[in-house]
Amino acid sequence: MTDLLGSGLLSVAAFVAVISFVVVIHELGHYLAGRYFGVHAEVFSIGFGPTLASWHDRKGTLWRIAGLPLGGYVRFLGDADAVSARDQATLERLKAARADADKVFHFKPVWQRAIIVLAGPVANFLLAIILFAAVGMARGEATIEPLIGEITAESPAEAAGFQSGDLLLTIDGQRARTFTDLSQAVMTRAGQPMRFTVERDGAELTLHATPRREMRADGLGGTRAFGFLGVGLSSEAQIIQRRFGPVEALGHGVTQTGRVLVTIVDYLARLVTFQASLEHINGPLGIATTAGQVANIAVADPGAGEGSSYDLSVALMRLATNLVLLAGLLSVAIGLMNLLPIPVLDGGHLVYYAYEAVAKHPPSPSVQSLGLKAGLALILGLMVVATWNDLNYLAGLFS
């Protein structure tokens, strides 16, 4: 039913749906916090580019649906653009006339502005919790005992002394809950020494291994560079399938969101200390590719047994679950990325507000302008790296 990337139409639709939903929720966080503090939102745009449909609400906000449905933005009174740069001419006019000054974002106390800015990433984290909780209720979670099976010959695991039957206890001091924890921990640590604690014959042993870089299948039809340790899952490992009630599911959502956050923060920390590779950074093209892959895999493999007829309802359920999980992961990533202290991002605004709170005045316009240019340059550089990685991955798909 699908080729390597599957139906192009389904791929595009999946990407647009996921990225638009996550970004719009982010902007809604800003909007609702601003509205709570009396800030007037001039425009709330779903998408970019030419307007397809628009209307004004009773507060005077223009809501618009644009032709390029890739995210969106909210523009408050006094903003010059979608990244909340100050519109100096408008601000000076409003300040002189004292008209609607209480509705201007930039005239609000610094703590209110900080909350409004922080509300976007918080909305993303809350969304992720809800999405992971929903999947926990619908599908549950499989806990796979971290019991080591086959050891690959001449692998880092063999050199470190791993043996079949070892029960993995900790990874770099962190408790190993499931076998998945091992694969996730090793994934981005090629060339990095790691410490493992295992239980063998009732005794605890500490093993040291350095995963090596290998191009391996990613489960989505392509290959990526992963850290390779060389251990397999034991056929005797216990697998516990658990479903969650509403309250438990909420806790599960919080836990899953926290795990994703820790994973991303750990990678970023190792990245800035030159202990991790840039090849794991992906951009919009990579997100679009992944969205299409998970969507088409769900539709192409509905889970029916061999010889069984195609079950559309099962396929649609798998599709919805896969996209919800992807949206949850992406929501955590977008929320966290926006908290980075880069001037063009929410985190950069928070740095400025922290300075203002201490110095009792905002940074000078020249400093803010310089910071904006530096932030844009950094973001552009990261986008170049991400796009290069995405194109290399696509080249591998079609080779």
Side-chain angles (χ1 to χ4, degrees), residues 87-349:
D87 184 345
Q88 288 298 134
T90 298
L91 292 176
E92 289 174 6
R93 175 176 56 80
L94 292 172
K95 190 173 183 178
R98 296 187 178 180
D100 294 329
D102 61 332
K103 299 180 181 179
V104 178
F105 171 75
H106 299 281
F107 292 166
K108 290 294 182 180
V110 65
W111 66 272
Q112 292 186 10
R113 280 178 278 146
I115 290 176
I116 293 170
V117 168
L118 191 61
V122 169
N124 282 131
F125 299 145
L126 291 176
L127 173 63
I129 290 171
I130 292 171
L131 295 179
F132 290 142
V135 173
M137 290 181 63
R139 195 178 69 179
E141 179 187 37
T143 301
I144 306 173
E145 183 184 22
L147 188 63
I148 304 301
E150 182 180 357
I151 307 298
T152 303
E154 300 181 356
S155 68
E158 183 182 61
F162 278 91
Q163 293 183 12
S164 178
D166 287 348
L167 179 63
L168 185 62
L169 301 179
T170 68
I171 305 170
D172 283 338
Q174 301 297 315
R175 186 172 75 90
R177 295 175 53 257
T178 73
F179 192 82
T180 304
D181 292 341
L182 175 61
S183 58
Q184 290 179 343
V186 169
M187 186 180 299
T188 61
R189 286 182 168 82
Q192 298 296 314
M194 300 182 68
R195 185 179 76 259
F196 303 90
T197 302
V198 301
E199 180 181 308
R200 181 186 302 166
D201 298 327
E204 291 188 10
L205 301 176
T206 298
L207 305 175
H208 297 270
T210 301
R212 67 172 178 245
R213 181 183 181 276
E214 283 195 6
M215 297 298 296
R216 304 185 68 83
D218 62 2
L220 296 174
T223 58
R224 296 183 187 271
F226 291 132
F228 174 71
L229 187 62
V231 298
L233 175 65
S234 171
S235 59
E236 299 179 0
Q238 297 182 9
I239 302 177
I240 300 171
Q241 183 69 32
R242 180 185 179 191
R243 291 212 173 191
F244 303 94
V247 176
E248 288 180 312
L250 189 61
H252 172 71
V254 172
T255 300
Q256 289 297 100
T257 300
R259 288 175 186 164
V260 176
L261 274 171
V262 169
T263 299
I264 298 175
V265 169
D266 174 74
Y267 172 69
L268 290 176
R270 290 186 291 109
L271 192 64
V272 298
T273 55
F274 305 102
Q275 298 179 38
S277 172
L278 290 170
E279 64 187 343
H280 298 292
I281 297 177
N282 297 111
L285 183 58
I287 297 172
T289 302
T290 301
Q293 287 171 314
V294 299
N296 284 294
I297 287 174
V299 172
D301 179 18
E306 185 177 349
S308 300
S309 60
Y310 185 86
D311 191 329
L312 179 60
S313 63
V314 173
L316 291 177
M317 179 61 71
R318 285 171 57 93
L319 173 61
T321 300
N322 288 356
L323 292 183
V324 166
L325 284 174
L326 180 60
L329 293 170
L330 186 59
S331 191
V332 176
I334 286 180
L336 183 59
M337 293 302 104
N338 269 278
L339 288 177
L340 294 178
I342 301 174
V344 72
L345 302 177
D346 294 333
H349 291 296

Side-chain angles (χ1 to χ4, degrees), residues 343-398:
V344 72
L345 302 177
D346 294 333
H349 291 296
L350 292 174
V351 171
Y352 286 159
Y353 299 154
Y355 172 87
E356 183 178 345
V358 174
K360 306 304 179 185
H361 61 81
S364 66
S366 61
V367 169
Q368 294 191 44
S369 177
L370 181 61
L372 179 62
K373 292 176 182 177
L376 287 173
L378 179 58
I379 294 297
L380 180 60
L382 289 174
M383 288 300 296
V384 169
V385 172
T387 301
W388 175 258
N389 292 339
D390 296 341
L391 289 174
N392 281 335
Y393 179 75
L394 284 173
L397 285 175
F398 292 106

Side-chain angles (χ1 to χ4, degrees), residues 18-66:
V18 170
I19 193 70
S20 296
F21 177 56
V22 171
V23 175
V24 166
I25 293 298
H26 177 95
E27 297 301 326
L28 273 174
H30 293 314
Y31 168 79
L32 292 175
R35 183 166 175 172
Y36 178 81
F37 289 117
V39 176
H40 174 60
E42 293 187 307
V43 179
F44 192 105
S45 180
I46 301 174
F48 299 90
T51 301
L52 301 180
S54 65
W55 65 95
H56 285 86
D57 63 18
R58 60 186 180 85
K59 294 285 187 179
T61 299
L62 174 65
W63 293 76
R64 62 188 294 268
I65 299 176

